[in-house]
Amino acid sequence: MSVTSDEKRVLEIDRYHVLLAPPRADLVALVEVAAQVAQVPLATINLITDTEQHQIATAGFDASICAREDSMCNLVLHEKEPVIVPDASQDPRFKDNPFVTGEIGDVRFYATHQLRTPGDIVIGTLCVFDTEPRDLGDDQEQALLTLADRVVDLLELELRTRELTSAVAELGAAHAELERSNQVLTAFAGQVAHDLRNPLSAVRMSLDLLQEQVESPDLDAETLAYVATRATSGAQRMQSLIDDLLSYARVGGQMGRGEVDLEAVVSDVRADLAVALEGAEVTVGPLPTVTGDEVQLRAVLQNLVANSAKFAAPGERARIEVRGTTTADGWRLEVVDHGLGVPEADRGRVFLPLARAHEAVEGHGIGLATVRRIVDAHHGRIGIDETPGGGATVWIELPR
């Protein structure tokens, strides 16, 4: 469907953002110059839409809006040369116009020229007028034409400045996003190394047991099969984690959404952490099926359970509870331990990359930062409370 000239004009006017804005000082100054050059008390810049005439800058009177059919400039909008009328009350085109008859104004002298954009679209006029008859000299007529061109120049300058400002802001945002992406990439590399260490330890333990069986004079085929199956299972989980993490990186960190059975996830986590949990007492309560990204939620639980085992009190075996409840808005998960705990002053800081609450315990401070990032991506909340009797309770709230 073809676009009419009125539609083109409205679209072009919209680009300049001047109809609803207060009068611009530069346009008002130009209108005042036009009035001085023409030696008249009144001047205006009119933009004409499909239904209205908007006076966006005026000299000698207050700007207003009128219906397009009442506009004097609308009658000569097609004229490519300046229109100069010594006495509008004697001109057949204007003598019955409300701006001439006294209904809206008492215009006598009237001179106007088109405002034509670089796209060759006429959007309105620069108009000077008086309540007394008069005329313009050739120099004044040429000045009116020149000033009309400068109106468009000012509109274009502001438009290009706005576009440039927007482009600079977008460039700044892109630069910030690049820095953020680099930080995420660094964290991601740490996450991969951190999260693969535990299942790799489980695989190595199984292989060590397998080697012991092979070297033993009392070779037990059933034990061999069990250990081999356990090693294969750990390797498969590690491969799955690698594949999922790489997929996560390729899609720019977008989270998958699906049903995640947390009881099954915790079962896998316990198998992956077989070495770290050796000697620990782990209690798993009923866990819900939640909505989220399975591999990322598994990384969350793996990090939290591993931390609980790592930060057991010296000389005591780790006691860990994993439990979950359904709430009105989603789900709440808790990983509870009875170990060293986290000082209240550090409970926000430990979620930052490389931050650690207990320097004497081996670690790089990546795990909780990773957990926080994953929970944020799920639009959830995370925090740490003190376990009654001592220790840390890390809680996570996930929305439906």
mmCIF file with all atom_site columns, all heavy atoms in Angstrom, residues 142-168:
data_model
loop_
_atom_site.group_PDB
_atom_site.id
_atom_site.type_symbol
_atom_site.label_atom_id
_atom_site.label_alt_id
_atom_site.label_comp_id
_atom_site.label_asym_id
_atom_site.label_entity_id
_atom_site.label_seq_id
_atom_site.pdbx_PDB_ins_code
_atom_site.Cartn_x
_atom_site.Cartn_y
_atom_site.Cartn_z
_atom_site.occupancy
_atom_site.B_iso_or_equiv
_atom_site.pdbx_formal_charge
_atom_site.auth_seq_id
_atom_site.auth_comp_id
_atom_site.auth_asym_id
_atom_site.auth_atom_id
_atom_site.pdbx_PDB_model_num
ATOM 1   N N   . GLN A 1 142 ? 14.777 37.190 0.089  1.00 0.00 ? 142 GLN A N   1
ATOM 2   C CA  . GLN A 1 142 ? 15.864 36.214 0.025  1.00 0.00 ? 142 GLN A CA  1
ATOM 3   C C   . GLN A 1 142 ? 16.270 35.761 1.428  1.00 0.00 ? 142 GLN A C   1
ATOM 4   O O   . GLN A 1 142 ? 16.568 34.583 1.658  1.00 0.00 ? 142 GLN A O   1
ATOM 5   C CB  . GLN A 1 142 ? 17.069 36.823 -0.682 1.00 0.00 ? 142 GLN A CB  1
ATOM 6   C CG  . GLN A 1 142 ? 18.253 35.884 -0.843 1.00 0.00 ? 142 GLN A CG  1
ATOM 7   C CD  . GLN A 1 142 ? 17.923 34.631 -1.646 1.00 0.00 ? 142 GLN A CD  1
ATOM 8   O OE1 . GLN A 1 142 ? 17.235 34.719 -2.662 1.00 0.00 ? 142 GLN A OE1 1
ATOM 9   N NE2 . GLN A 1 142 ? 18.407 33.475 -1.169 1.00 0.00 ? 142 GLN A NE2 1
ATOM 10  N N   . ALA A 1 143 ? 16.242 36.694 2.374  1.00 0.00 ? 143 ALA A N   1
ATOM 11  C CA  . ALA A 1 143 ? 16.587 36.343 3.752  1.00 0.00 ? 143 ALA A CA  1
ATOM 12  C C   . ALA A 1 143 ? 15.563 35.363 4.331  1.00 0.00 ? 143 ALA A C   1
ATOM 13  O O   . ALA A 1 143 ? 15.923 34.434 5.064  1.00 0.00 ? 143 ALA A O   1
ATOM 14  C CB  . ALA A 1 143 ? 16.672 37.597 4.608  1.00 0.00 ? 143 ALA A CB  1
ATOM 15  N N   . LEU A 1 144 ? 14.280 35.564 4.015  1.00 0.00 ? 144 LEU A N   1
ATOM 16  C CA  . LEU A 1 144 ? 13.232 34.641 4.481  1.00 0.00 ? 144 LEU A CA  1
ATOM 17  C C   . LEU A 1 144 ? 13.496 33.240 3.957  1.00 0.00 ? 144 LEU A C   1
ATOM 18  O O   . LEU A 1 144 ? 13.384 32.243 4.695  1.00 0.00 ? 144 LEU A O   1
ATOM 19  C CB  . LEU A 1 144 ? 11.865 35.144 4.024  1.00 0.00 ? 144 LEU A CB  1
ATOM 20  C CG  . LEU A 1 144 ? 10.666 34.260 4.420  1.00 0.00 ? 144 LEU A CG  1
ATOM 21  C CD1 . LEU A 1 144 ? 10.510 34.231 5.933  1.00 0.00 ? 144 LEU A CD1 1
ATOM 22  C CD2 . LEU A 1 144 ? 9.385  34.768 3.759  1.00 0.00 ? 144 LEU A CD2 1
ATOM 23  N N   . LEU A 1 145 ? 13.857 33.136 2.683  1.00 0.00 ? 145 LEU A N   1
ATOM 24  C CA  . LEU A 1 145 ? 14.155 31.848 2.076  1.00 0.00 ? 145 LEU A CA  1
ATOM 25  C C   . LEU A 1 145 ? 15.346 31.185 2.784  1.00 0.00 ? 145 LEU A C   1
ATOM 26  O O   . LEU A 1 145 ? 15.323 29.991 3.098  1.00 0.00 ? 145 LEU A O   1
ATOM 27  C CB  . LEU A 1 145 ? 14.441 32.036 0.597  1.00 0.00 ? 145 LEU A CB  1
ATOM 28  C CG  . LEU A 1 145 ? 14.551 30.803 -0.299 1.00 0.00 ? 145 LEU A CG  1
ATOM 29  C CD1 . LEU A 1 145 ? 14.137 31.136 -1.727 1.00 0.00 ? 145 LEU A CD1 1
ATOM 30  C CD2 . LEU A 1 145 ? 15.970 30.263 -0.291 1.00 0.00 ? 145 LEU A CD2 1
ATOM 31  N N   . THR A 1 146 ? 16.400 31.986 3.038  1.00 0.00 ? 146 THR A N   1
ATOM 32  C CA  . THR A 1 146 ? 17.595 31.446 3.696  1.00 0.00 ? 146 THR A CA  1
ATOM 33  C C   . THR A 1 146 ? 17.287 30.984 5.114  1.00 0.00 ? 146 THR A C   1
ATOM 34  O O   . THR A 1 146 ? 17.734 29.921 5.558  1.00 0.00 ? 146 THR A O   1
ATOM 35  C CB  . THR A 1 146 ? 18.695 32.508 3.717  1.00 0.00 ? 146 THR A CB  1
ATOM 36  O OG1 . THR A 1 146 ? 19.015 32.885 2.375  1.00 0.00 ? 146 THR A OG1 1
ATOM 37  C CG2 . THR A 1 146 ? 19.950 31.983 4.403  1.00 0.00 ? 146 THR A CG2 1
ATOM 38  N N   . LEU A 1 147 ? 16.512 31.778 5.842  1.00 0.00 ? 147 LEU A N   1
ATOM 39  C CA  . LEU A 1 147 ? 16.177 31.419 7.220  1.00 0.00 ? 147 LEU A CA  1
ATOM 40  C C   . LEU A 1 147 ? 15.321 30.152 7.281  1.00 0.00 ? 147 LEU A C   1
ATOM 41  O O   . LEU A 1 147 ? 15.452 29.351 8.206  1.00 0.00 ? 147 LEU A O   1
ATOM 42  C CB  . LEU A 1 147 ? 15.456 32.578 7.907  1.00 0.00 ? 147 LEU A CB  1
ATOM 43  C CG  . LEU A 1 147 ? 16.339 33.800 8.225  1.00 0.00 ? 147 LEU A CG  1
ATOM 44  C CD1 . LEU A 1 147 ? 15.486 34.965 8.724  1.00 0.00 ? 147 LEU A CD1 1
ATOM 45  C CD2 . LEU A 1 147 ? 17.394 33.428 9.270  1.00 0.00 ? 147 LEU A CD2 1
ATOM 46  N N   . ALA A 1 148 ? 14.440 29.972 6.286  1.00 0.00 ? 148 ALA A N   1
ATOM 47  C CA  . ALA A 1 148 ? 13.637 28.743 6.243  1.00 0.00 ? 148 ALA A CA  1
ATOM 48  C C   . ALA A 1 148 ? 14.545 27.523 6.117  1.00 0.00 ? 148 ALA A C   1
ATOM 49  O O   . ALA A 1 148 ? 14.318 26.485 6.758  1.00 0.00 ? 148 ALA A O   1
ATOM 50  C CB  . ALA A 1 148 ? 12.641 28.807 5.084  1.00 0.00 ? 148 ALA A CB  1
ATOM 51  N N   . ASP A 1 149 ? 15.592 27.635 5.296  1.00 0.00 ? 149 ASP A N   1
ATOM 52  C CA  . ASP A 1 149 ? 16.550 26.532 5.175  1.00 0.00 ? 149 ASP A CA  1
ATOM 53  C C   . ASP A 1 149 ? 17.278 26.283 6.496  1.00 0.00 ? 149 ASP A C   1
ATOM 54  O O   . ASP A 1 149 ? 17.567 25.140 6.853  1.00 0.00 ? 149 ASP A O   1
ATOM 55  C CB  . ASP A 1 149 ? 17.563 26.827 4.078  1.00 0.00 ? 149 ASP A CB  1
ATOM 56  C CG  . ASP A 1 149 ? 16.938 26.781 2.681  1.00 0.00 ? 149 ASP A CG  1
ATOM 57  O OD1 . ASP A 1 149 ? 15.850 26.169 2.538  1.00 0.00 ? 149 ASP A OD1 1
ATOM 58  O OD2 . ASP A 1 149 ? 17.542 27.353 1.744  1.00 0.00 ? 149 ASP A OD2 1
ATOM 59  N N   . ARG A 1 150 ? 17.558 27.378 7.229  1.00 0.00 ? 150 ARG A N   1
ATOM 60  C CA  . ARG A 1 150 ? 18.265 27.216 8.507  1.00 0.00 ? 150 ARG A CA  1
ATOM 61  C C   . ARG A 1 150 ? 17.377 26.543 9.553  1.00 0.00 ? 150 ARG A C   1
ATOM 62  O O   . ARG A 1 150 ? 17.880 25.861 10.443 1.00 0.00 ? 150 ARG A O   1
ATOM 63  C CB  . ARG A 1 150 ? 18.731 28.578 9.029  1.00 0.00 ? 150 ARG A CB  1
ATOM 64  C CG  . ARG A 1 150 ? 19.705 29.330 8.153  1.00 0.00 ? 150 ARG A CG  1
ATOM 65  C CD  . ARG A 1 150 ? 21.058 28.640 7.995  1.00 0.00 ? 150 ARG A CD  1
ATOM 66  N NE  . ARG A 1 150 ? 21.051 27.540 7.048  1.00 0.00 ? 150 ARG A NE  1
ATOM 67  C CZ  . ARG A 1 150 ? 21.042 27.692 5.707  1.00 0.00 ? 150 ARG A CZ  1
ATOM 68  N NH1 . ARG A 1 150 ? 21.032 28.895 5.164  1.00 0.00 ? 150 ARG A NH1 1
ATOM 69  N NH2 . ARG A 1 150 ? 21.058 26.631 4.915  1.00 0.00 ? 150 ARG A NH2 1
ATOM 70  N N   . VAL A 1 151 ? 16.070 26.734 9.471  1.00 0.00 ? 151 VAL A N   1
ATOM 71  C CA  . VAL A 1 151 ? 15.153 26.032 10.383 1.00 0.00 ? 151 VAL A CA  1
ATOM 72  C C   . VAL A 1 151 ? 15.334 24.531 10.228 1.00 0.00 ? 151 VAL A C   1
ATOM 73  O O   . VAL A 1 151 ? 15.483 23.783 11.196 1.00 0.00 ? 151 VAL A O   1
ATOM 74  C CB  . VAL A 1 151 ? 13.689 26.425 10.125 1.00 0.00 ? 151 VAL A CB  1
ATOM 75  C CG1 . VAL A 1 151 ? 12.736 25.518 10.913 1.00 0.00 ? 151 VAL A CG1 1
ATOM 76  C CG2 . VAL A 1 151 ? 13.442 27.875 10.509 1.00 0.00 ? 151 VAL A CG2 1
ATOM 77  N N   . VAL A 1 152 ? 15.330 24.094 8.981  1.00 0.00 ? 152 VAL A N   1
ATOM 78  C CA  . VAL A 1 152 ? 15.500 22.657 8.718  1.00 0.00 ? 152 VAL A CA  1
ATOM 79  C C   . VAL A 1 152 ? 16.891 22.204 9.167  1.00 0.00 ? 152 VAL A C   1
ATOM 80  O O   . VAL A 1 152 ? 17.040 21.107 9.723  1.00 0.00 ? 152 VAL A O   1
ATOM 81  C CB  . VAL A 1 152 ? 15.270 22.356 7.229  1.00 0.00 ? 152 VAL A CB  1
ATOM 82  C CG1 . VAL A 1 152 ? 15.544 20.884 6.939  1.00 0.00 ? 152 VAL A CG1 1
ATOM 83  C CG2 . VAL A 1 152 ? 13.840 22.708 6.829  1.00 0.00 ? 152 VAL A CG2 1
ATOM 84  N N   . ASP A 1 153 ? 17.899 23.050 8.959  1.00 0.00 ? 153 ASP A N   1
ATOM 85  C CA  . ASP A 1 153 ? 19.242 22.685 9.398  1.00 0.00 ? 153 ASP A CA  1
ATOM 86  C C   . ASP A 1 153 ? 19.282 22.452 10.911 1.00 0.00 ? 153 ASP A C   1
ATOM 87  O O   . ASP A 1 153 ? 19.921 21.503 11.394 1.00 0.00 ? 153 ASP A O   1
ATOM 88  C CB  . ASP A 1 153 ? 20.242 23.784 9.029  1.00 0.00 ? 153 ASP A CB  1
ATOM 89  C CG  . ASP A 1 153 ? 20.512 23.846 7.530  1.00 0.00 ? 153 ASP A CG  1
ATOM 90  O OD1 . ASP A 1 153 ? 20.168 22.870 6.821  1.00 0.00 ? 153 ASP A OD1 1
ATOM 91  O OD2 . ASP A 1 153 ? 21.049 24.873 7.073  1.00 0.00 ? 153 ASP A OD2 1
ATOM 92  N N   . LEU A 1 154 ? 18.618 23.335 11.663 1.00 0.00 ? 154 LEU A N   1
ATOM 93  C CA  . LEU A 1 154 ? 18.598 23.174 13.114 1.00 0.00 ? 154 LEU A CA  1
ATOM 94  C C   . LEU A 1 154 ? 17.859 21.909 13.537 1.00 0.00 ? 154 LEU A C   1
ATOM 95  O O   . LEU A 1 154 ? 18.291 21.204 14.456 1.00 0.00 ? 154 LEU A O   1
ATOM 96  C CB  . LEU A 1 154 ? 17.956 24.400 13.778 1.00 0.00 ? 154 LEU A CB  1
ATOM 97  C CG  . LEU A 1 154 ? 18.767 25.699 13.730 1.00 0.00 ? 154 LEU A CG  1
ATOM 98  C CD1 . LEU A 1 154 ? 17.961 26.854 14.314 1.00 0.00 ? 154 LEU A CD1 1
ATOM 99  C CD2 . LEU A 1 154 ? 20.078 25.536 14.496 1.00 0.00 ? 154 LEU A CD2 1
ATOM 100 N N   . LEU A 1 155 ? 16.755 21.633 12.870 1.00 0.00 ? 155 LEU A N   1
ATOM 101 C CA  . LEU A 1 155 ? 16.023 20.398 13.173 1.00 0.00 ? 155 LEU A CA  1
ATOM 102 C C   . LEU A 1 155 ? 16.880 19.174 12.876 1.00 0.00 ? 155 LEU A C   1
ATOM 103 O O   . LEU A 1 155 ? 16.918 18.217 13.654 1.00 0.00 ? 155 LEU A O   1
ATOM 104 C CB  . LEU A 1 155 ? 14.722 20.349 12.361 1.00 0.00 ? 155 LEU A CB  1
ATOM 105 C CG  . LEU A 1 155 ? 13.648 21.375 12.717 1.00 0.00 ? 155 LEU A CG  1
ATOM 106 C CD1 . LEU A 1 155 ? 12.476 21.290 11.728 1.00 0.00 ? 155 LEU A CD1 1
ATOM 107 C CD2 . LEU A 1 155 ? 13.138 21.165 14.142 1.00 0.00 ? 155 LEU A CD2 1
ATOM 108 N N   . GLU A 1 156 ? 17.566 19.200 11.744 1.00 0.00 ? 156 GLU A N   1
ATOM 109 C CA  . GLU A 1 156 ? 18.427 18.073 11.370 1.00 0.00 ? 156 GLU A CA  1
ATOM 110 C C   . GLU A 1 156 ? 19.615 17.943 12.320 1.00 0.00 ? 156 GLU A C   1
ATOM 111 O O   . GLU A 1 156 ? 20.017 16.829 12.664 1.00 0.00 ? 156 GLU A O   1
ATOM 112 C CB  . GLU A 1 156 ? 18.929 18.257 9.934  1.00 0.00 ? 156 GLU A CB  1
ATOM 113 C CG  . GLU A 1 156 ? 17.907 17.934 8.874  1.00 0.00 ? 156 GLU A CG  1
ATOM 114 C CD  . GLU A 1 156 ? 17.638 16.440 8.778  1.00 0.00 ? 156 GLU A CD  1
ATOM 115 O OE1 . GLU A 1 156 ? 18.602 15.645 8.821  1.00 0.00 ? 156 GLU A OE1 1
ATOM 116 O OE2 . GLU A 1 156 ? 16.460 16.052 8.688  1.00 0.00 ? 156 GLU A OE2 1
ATOM 117 N N   . LEU A 1 157 ? 20.188 19.086 12.734 1.00 0.00 ? 157 LEU A N   1
ATOM 118 C CA  . LEU A 1 157 ? 21.338 19.041 13.635 1.00 0.00 ? 157 LEU A CA  1
ATOM 119 C C   . LEU A 1 157 ? 20.956 18.378 14.954 1.00 0.00 ? 157 LEU A C   1
ATOM 120 O O   . LEU A 1 157 ? 21.699 17.530 15.474 1.00 0.00 ? 157 LEU A O   1
ATOM 121 C CB  . LEU A 1 157 ? 21.861 20.460 13.887 1.00 0.00 ? 157 LEU A CB  1
ATOM 122 C CG  . LEU A 1 157 ? 23.050 20.573 14.855 1.00 0.00 ? 157 LEU A CG  1
ATOM 123 C CD1 . LEU A 1 157 ? 24.251 19.803 14.320 1.00 0.00 ? 157 LEU A CD1 1
ATOM 124 C CD2 . LEU A 1 157 ? 23.406 22.042 15.084 1.00 0.00 ? 157 LEU A CD2 1
ATOM 125 N N   . GLU A 1 158 ? 19.805 18.763 15.498 1.00 0.00 ? 158 GLU A N   1
ATOM 126 C CA  . GLU A 1 158 ? 19.372 18.153 16.761 1.00 0.00 ? 158 GLU A CA  1
ATOM 127 C C   . GLU A 1 158 ? 19.105 16.669 16.578 1.00 0.00 ? 158 GLU A C   1
ATOM 128 O O   . GLU A 1 158 ? 19.444 15.841 17.435 1.00 0.00 ? 158 GLU A O   1
ATOM 129 C CB  . GLU A 1 158 ? 18.116 18.859 17.270 1.00 0.00 ? 158 GLU A CB  1
ATOM 130 C CG  . GLU A 1 158 ? 17.729 18.530 18.710 1.00 0.00 ? 158 GLU A CG  1
ATOM 131 C CD  . GLU A 1 158 ? 17.001 17.194 18.844 1.00 0.00 ? 158 GLU A CD  1
ATOM 132 O OE1 . GLU A 1 158 ? 16.352 16.760 17.853 1.00 0.00 ? 158 GLU A OE1 1
ATOM 133 O OE2 . GLU A 1 158 ? 17.062 16.586 19.931 1.00 0.00 ? 158 GLU A OE2 1
ATOM 134 N N   . LEU A 1 159 ? 18.484 16.305 15.429 1.00 0.00 ? 159 LEU A N   1
ATOM 135 C CA  . LEU A 1 159 ? 18.205 14.899 15.141 1.00 0.00 ? 159 LEU A CA  1
ATOM 136 C C   . LEU A 1 159 ? 19.502 14.099 15.069 1.00 0.00 ? 159 LEU A C   1
ATOM 137 O O   . LEU A 1 159 ? 19.619 13.019 15.670 1.00 0.00 ? 159 LEU A O   1
ATOM 138 C CB  . LEU A 1 159 ? 17.427 14.782 13.833 1.00 0.00 ? 159 LEU A CB  1
ATOM 139 C CG  . LEU A 1 159 ? 17.217 13.364 13.290 1.00 0.00 ? 159 LEU A CG  1
ATOM 140 C CD1 . LEU A 1 159 ? 16.430 12.511 14.281 1.00 0.00 ? 159 LEU A CD1 1
ATOM 141 C CD2 . LEU A 1 159 ? 16.511 13.421 11.936 1.00 0.00 ? 159 LEU A CD2 1
ATOM 142 N N   . ARG A 1 160 ? 20.491 14.607 14.319 1.00 0.00 ? 160 ARG A N   1
ATOM 143 C CA  . ARG A 1 160 ? 21.757 13.886 14.172 1.00 0.00 ? 160 ARG A CA  1
ATOM 144 C C   . ARG A 1 160 ? 22.500 13.820 15.512 1.00 0.00 ? 160 ARG A C   1
ATOM 145 O O   . ARG A 1 160 ? 23.139 12.806 15.833 1.00 0.00 ? 160 ARG A O   1
ATOM 146 C CB  . ARG A 1 160 ? 22.650 14.559 13.133 1.00 0.00 ? 160 ARG A CB  1
ATOM 147 C CG  . ARG A 1 160 ? 22.030 14.666 11.759 1.00 0.00 ? 160 ARG A CG  1
ATOM 148 C CD  . ARG A 1 160 ? 21.477 13.342 11.261 1.00 0.00 ? 160 ARG A CD  1
ATOM 149 N NE  . ARG A 1 160 ? 20.676 13.506 10.068 1.00 0.00 ? 160 ARG A NE  1
ATOM 150 C CZ  . ARG A 1 160 ? 19.823 12.617 9.611  1.00 0.00 ? 160 ARG A CZ  1
ATOM 151 N NH1 . ARG A 1 160 ? 19.651 11.480 10.266 1.00 0.00 ? 160 ARG A NH1 1
ATOM 152 N NH2 . ARG A 1 160 ? 19.117 12.847 8.515  1.00 0.00 ? 160 ARG A NH2 1
ATOM 153 N N   . THR A 1 161 ? 22.412 14.881 16.317 1.00 0.00 ? 161 THR A N   1
ATOM 154 C CA  . THR A 1 161 ? 23.045 14.861 17.645 1.00 0.00 ? 161 THR A CA  1
ATOM 155 C C   . THR A 1 161 ? 22.402 13.794 18.520 1.00 0.00 ? 161 THR A C   1
ATOM 156 O O   . THR A 1 161 ? 23.093 13.051 19.229 1.00 0.00 ? 161 THR A O   1
ATOM 157 C CB  . THR A 1 161 ? 22.913 16.243 18.317 1.00 0.00 ? 161 THR A CB  1
ATOM 158 O OG1 . THR A 1 161 ? 23.541 17.230 17.504 1.00 0.00 ? 161 THR A OG1 1
ATOM 159 C CG2 . THR A 1 161 ? 23.551 16.237 19.699 1.00 0.00 ? 161 THR A CG2 1
ATOM 160 N N   . ARG A 1 162 ? 21.078 13.716 18.458 1.00 0.00 ? 162 ARG A N   1
ATOM 161 C CA  . ARG A 1 162 ? 20.365 12.704 19.237 1.00 0.00 ? 162 ARG A CA  1
ATOM 162 C C   . ARG A 1 162 ? 20.753 11.299 18.787 1.00 0.00 ? 162 ARG A C   1
ATOM 163 O O   . ARG A 1 162 ? 20.964 10.394 19.603 1.00 0.00 ? 162 ARG A O   1
ATOM 164 C CB  . ARG A 1 162 ? 18.866 12.949 19.115 1.00 0.00 ? 162 ARG A CB  1
ATOM 165 C CG  . ARG A 1 162 ? 18.017 12.021 19.943 1.00 0.00 ? 162 ARG A CG  1
ATOM 166 C CD  . ARG A 1 162 ? 16.601 12.552 20.175 1.00 0.00 ? 162 ARG A CD  1
ATOM 167 N NE  . ARG A 1 162 ? 16.153 13.513 19.228 1.00 0.00 ? 162 ARG A NE  1
ATOM 168 C CZ  . ARG A 1 162 ? 15.442 13.223 18.133 1.00 0.00 ? 162 ARG A CZ  1
ATOM 169 N NH1 . ARG A 1 162 ? 15.149 11.968 17.856 1.00 0.00 ? 162 ARG A NH1 1
ATOM 170 N NH2 . ARG A 1 162 ? 15.038 14.176 17.319 1.00 0.00 ? 162 ARG A NH2 1
ATOM 171 N N   . GLU A 1 163 ? 20.820 11.120 17.460 1.00 0.00 ? 163 GLU A N   1
ATOM 172 C CA  . GLU A 1 163 ? 21.196 9.806  16.932 1.00 0.00 ? 163 GLU A CA  1
ATOM 173 C C   . GLU A 1 163 ? 22.631 9.447  17.323 1.00 0.00 ? 163 GLU A C   1
ATOM 174 O O   . GLU A 1 163 ? 22.927 8.293  17.660 1.00 0.00 ? 163 GLU A O   1
ATOM 175 C CB  . GLU A 1 163 ? 21.040 9.793  15.416 1.00 0.00 ? 163 GLU A CB  1
ATOM 176 C CG  . GLU A 1 163 ? 19.586 9.849  14.951 1.00 0.00 ? 163 GLU A CG  1
ATOM 177 C CD  . GLU A 1 163 ? 19.453 9.951  13.439 1.00 0.00 ? 163 GLU A CD  1
ATOM 178 O OE1 . GLU A 1 163 ? 20.440 10.322 12.779 1.00 0.00 ? 163 GLU A OE1 1
ATOM 179 O OE2 . GLU A 1 163 ? 18.355 9.669  12.927 1.00 0.00 ? 163 GLU A OE2 1
ATOM 180 N N   . LEU A 1 164 ? 23.528 10.458 17.273 1.00 0.00 ? 164 LEU A N   1
ATOM 181 C CA  . LEU A 1 164 ? 24.919 10.217 17.648 1.00 0.00 ? 164 LEU A CA  1
ATOM 182 C C   . LEU A 1 164 ? 25.023 9.881  19.131 1.00 0.00 ? 164 LEU A C   1
ATOM 183 O O   . LEU A 1 164 ? 25.762 8.964  19.522 1.00 0.00 ? 164 LEU A O   1
ATOM 184 C CB  . LEU A 1 164 ? 25.769 11.449 17.328 1.00 0.00 ? 164 LEU A CB  1
ATOM 185 C CG  . LEU A 1 164 ? 27.263 11.342 17.663 1.00 0.00 ? 164 LEU A CG  1
ATOM 186 C CD1 . LEU A 1 164 ? 27.905 10.185 16.908 1.00 0.00 ? 164 LEU A CD1 1
ATOM 187 C CD2 . LEU A 1 164 ? 27.968 12.654 17.338 1.00 0.00 ? 164 LEU A CD2 1
ATOM 188 N N   . THR A 1 165 ? 24.269 10.608 19.959 1.00 0.00 ? 165 THR A N   1
ATOM 189 C CA  . THR A 1 165 ? 24.274 10.323 21.389 1.00 0.00 ? 165 THR A CA  1
ATOM 190 C C   . THR A 1 165 ? 23.794 8.905  21.661 1.00 0.00 ? 165 THR A C   1
ATOM 191 O O   . THR A 1 165 ? 24.354 8.183  22.486 1.00 0.00 ? 165 THR A O   1
ATOM 192 C CB  . THR A 1 165 ? 23.377 11.332 22.138 1.00 0.00 ? 165 THR A CB  1
ATOM 193 O OG1 . THR A 1 165 ? 23.862 12.658 21.903 1.00 0.00 ? 165 THR A OG1 1
ATOM 194 C CG2 . THR A 1 165 ? 23.357 11.057 23.627 1.00 0.00 ? 165 THR A CG2 1
ATOM 195 N N   . SER A 1 166 ? 22.745 8.514  20.940 1.00 0.00 ? 166 SER A N   1
ATOM 196 C CA  . SER A 1 166 ? 22.223 7.155  21.092 1.00 0.00 ? 166 SER A CA  1
ATOM 197 C C   . SER A 1 166 ? 23.257 6.122  20.662 1.00 0.00 ? 166 SER A C   1
ATOM 198 O O   . SER A 1 166 ? 23.446 5.094  21.317 1.00 0.00 ? 166 SER A O   1
ATOM 199 C CB  . SER A 1 166 ? 20.941 6.995  20.275 1.00 0.00 ? 166 SER A CB  1
ATOM 200 O OG  . SER A 1 166 ? 20.456 5.675  20.338 1.00 0.00 ? 166 SER A OG  1
ATOM 201 N N   . ALA A 1 167 ? 23.943 6.426  19.545 1.00 0.00 ? 167 ALA A N   1
ATOM 202 C CA  . ALA A 1 167 ? 24.963 5.490  19.056 1.00 0.00 ? 167 ALA A CA  1
ATOM 203 C C   . ALA A 1 167 ? 26.112 5.368  20.051 1.00 0.00 ? 167 ALA A C   1
ATOM 204 O O   . ALA A 1 167 ? 26.630 4.269  20.289 1.00 0.00 ? 167 ALA A O   1
ATOM 205 C CB  . ALA A 1 167 ? 25.483 5.949  17.699 1.00 0.00 ? 167 ALA A CB  1
ATOM 206 N N   . VAL A 1 168 ? 26.518 6.514  20.649 1.00 0.00 ? 168 VAL A N   1
ATOM 207 C CA  . VAL A 1 168 ? 27.593 6.483  21.647 1.00 0.00 ? 168 VAL A CA  1
ATOM 208 C C   . VAL A 1 168 ? 27.154 5.680  22.869 1.00 0.00 ? 168 VAL A C   1
ATOM 209 O O   . VAL A 1 168 ? 27.928 4.884  23.429 1.00 0.00 ? 168 VAL A O   1
ATOM 210 C CB  . VAL A 1 168 ? 27.989 7.916  22.049 1.00 0.00 ? 168 VAL A CB  1
ATOM 211 C CG1 . VAL A 1 168 ? 28.915 7.901  23.262 1.00 0.00 ? 168 VAL A CG1 1
ATOM 212 C CG2 . VAL A 1 168 ? 28.660 8.625  20.882 1.00 0.00 ? 168 VAL A CG2 1
#
